[in-house]
Amino acid sequence: MNHISKLSEIYTDPHPYPVGIAFQDGQYIPVSEAKISVLDYGFLHSDATYDTVHVWDGAFFRLDDHIERFLSGVERLRMELPVNPEEIRQILHNCVALSGHRRAYVEMVCTRGTAANFSRDPREATNRFLAFAVPYGSVANDEQLRRGLHITIADITRIPPGSVDPKIKNYHWLDLIMGLYDAYDKGRETALLLDADGNISEGPGFNVFAVRDGSLSTPARGVLPGITRRTVIEICAAKGINAQEGNLSQERLRSSDEIFVTSTAGGIMPVTQIDGQPVGSGKIGPITDCLKCAYWGWHKDSRFIDIVSYPG
Ligand code: PLP
């Protein structure tokens, strides 16, 4: 906690790190000082799992669901956390409260850690937990949110679910990163990747929905079960809008009336062009608008929020 006194220096420093607070080894420190060992298998082998939750106007959104997904990833990877769920909740609250951010991007991470004498047996490693809160960030910038994202369908296969279980939120992002480069090379802003059958899967940090004739579809398999995606499906159920999980072909996506992508980092983000072609009218559609409005409305609903107590 004594590192917190340095926070004022960080605030005035033109530091390349975002301003925020991390929790590591029992201490709260400026996020710029949080470090992991180069020998941590989380770094060397992407042997880690994590979750990201956001704080909007001073309240966490669906914190329990994010912690639950994180714990399930930890269990599936046969890791052991040095903290219990209630402690995680408290640590995340403290990171946000100490950061002072009313809109924050909050991450909890468990890495395999290191083992004595650099043993390659994962069972011998001591797993590590860390967390941090930084300012809220979005997949789409303000202009893209206003006019819709321009995306490409990259000719890259997302890591198949038989190789890495996408239900475990993971840092296996090389396919997604190459998808981004493919998009930039083509003058687009982001990308959707395919699954092994050539259907649409997901993009760098988001799920996707296609709208046609008033009904929604979203890929069922080979994707992270996003909490924003789940929220959209629940909003649809509440509004009597048909939303199906299933295969989403490229043709179906390209002939949609509306498309949007979903992430904790940005919420519901419209897509108005695919590979230079307009989606539907080329403007943000009414269903996307309506769901987006409901999504942010649910951020005021006591069923889903956890209010942060900021000091002073
Ligand atoms: N898919 C991937 C690969 C992601 O990394 C993310 C979020 O980071 C998502 C989908 C969206 O998930 P959520 O809505 O829970 O943020």
Side-chain angles (χ1 to χ4, degrees):
M1 293 290 266
N2 54 347
H3 284 78
I4 299 303
S5 57
K6 285 198 192 158
L7 203 56
S8 56
E9 292 166 32
I10 301 281
Y11 271 104
T12 54
D13 191 3
H15 204 280
Y17 283 90
V19 172
I21 292 293
F23 171 87
Q24 191 170 36
D25 300 328
Q27 282 205 309
Y28 294 93
I29 54 178
V31 73
S32 57
E33 292 182 11
K35 309 224 168 0
I36 65 163
S37 164
V38 293
L39 298 181
D40 191 312
Y41 290 116
F43 171 65
L44 291 175
H45 296 165
S46 286
D47 188 352
T49 187
Y50 74 110
D51 214 287
T52 303
V53 54
H54 69 220
V55 167
W56 193 254
D57 293 346
F60 281 94
F61 185 62
R62 304 199 80 150
L63 180 55
D64 288 342
D65 297 320
H66 285 277
I67 292 178
E68 190 182 308
R69 184 172 66 179
F70 176 60
L71 295 176
S72 139
V74 167
E75 192 183 333
R76 284 165 196 251
L77 290 177
R78 303 170 70 164
M79 291 175 174
E80 270 174 36
L81 281 168
V83 281
N84 67 36
E86 191 40 46
E87 286 166 334
I88 295 175
R89 162 187 298 283
Q90 200 49 59
I91 288 166
L92 299 181
H93 268 270
N94 289 346
C95 285
V96 175
L98 291 166
S99 77
H101 297 315
R102 298 193 55 81
R103 292 187 178 179
Y105 175 97
V106 186
E107 195 156 322
M108 60 202 105
V109 185
C110 184
T111 69
R112 184 71 60 192
T114 49
N117 301 318
F118 204 32
S119 158
R120 294 194 159 246
D121 183 338
R123 294 169 300 182
E124 290 174 11
T126 305
N127 307 153
R128 289 172 65 87
F129 172 80
L130 61 100
F132 60 84
V134 291
Y136 180 77
S138 167
V139 167
N141 63 31
D142 287 348
E143 187 201 332
Q144 292 164 345
L145 287 173
R146 255 193 319 274
R147 56 116 162 108
L149 281 158
H150 297 168
I151 65 166
T152 189
I153 299 179
D155 194 13
I156 297 176
T157 307
R158 181 79 176 110
I159 298 178
S163 302
V164 173
D165 181 353
K167 294 195 183 75
I168 304 171
K169 196 165 156 65
N170 63 73
Y171 292 129
H172 289 66
W173 268 55
L174 293 186
D175 51 355
L176 298 170
I177 298 293
M178 294 323 289
L180 278 175
Y181 275 100
D182 186 49
Y184 302 150
D185 289 347
K186 294 173 179 163
R188 318 292 178 220
E189 294 161 346
T190 191
L192 284 167
L193 271 60
L194 303 174
D195 67 17
D197 299 322
N199 291 314
I200 302 293
S201 64
E202 61 185 344
F206 53 80
N207 296 113
V208 62
F209 283 82
V211 183
R212 202 161 72 182
D213 300 330
S215 291
L216 275 69
S217 50
T218 189
R221 288 186 60 252
V223 299
L224 177 77
I227 288 176
T228 322
R229 175 182 179 276
R230 189 201 303 180
T231 306
V232 167
I233 293 169
E234 290 173 4
I235 293 172
C236 285
K239 288 186 174 295
I241 298 171
N242 181 32
Q244 298 291 333
E245 300 172 55
N247 286 341
L248 178 59
S249 69
Q250 295 185 56
E251 297 68 38
R252 170 84 203 265
L253 188 75
R254 288 187 199 277
S255 61
S256 301
D257 302 328
E258 300 177 35
I259 298 173
F260 59 85
V261 296
T262 60
S263 174
T264 293
I268 295 175
M269 296 165 279
V271 173
T272 48
Q273 274 189 24
I274 301 188
D275 290 315
Q277 297 301 310
V279 175
S281 68
K283 301 224 166 60
I284 298 171
I287 293 188
T288 307
D289 254 346
C290 157
L291 293 173
K292 193 172 161 181
C293 183
Y295 173 77
W296 291 110
W298 279 27
H299 283 64
K300 305 236 173 311
D301 186 325
S302 59
R303 284 176 301 162
F304 303 116
I305 62 174
D306 264 67
I307 295 168
V308 177
S309 294
Y310 294 89

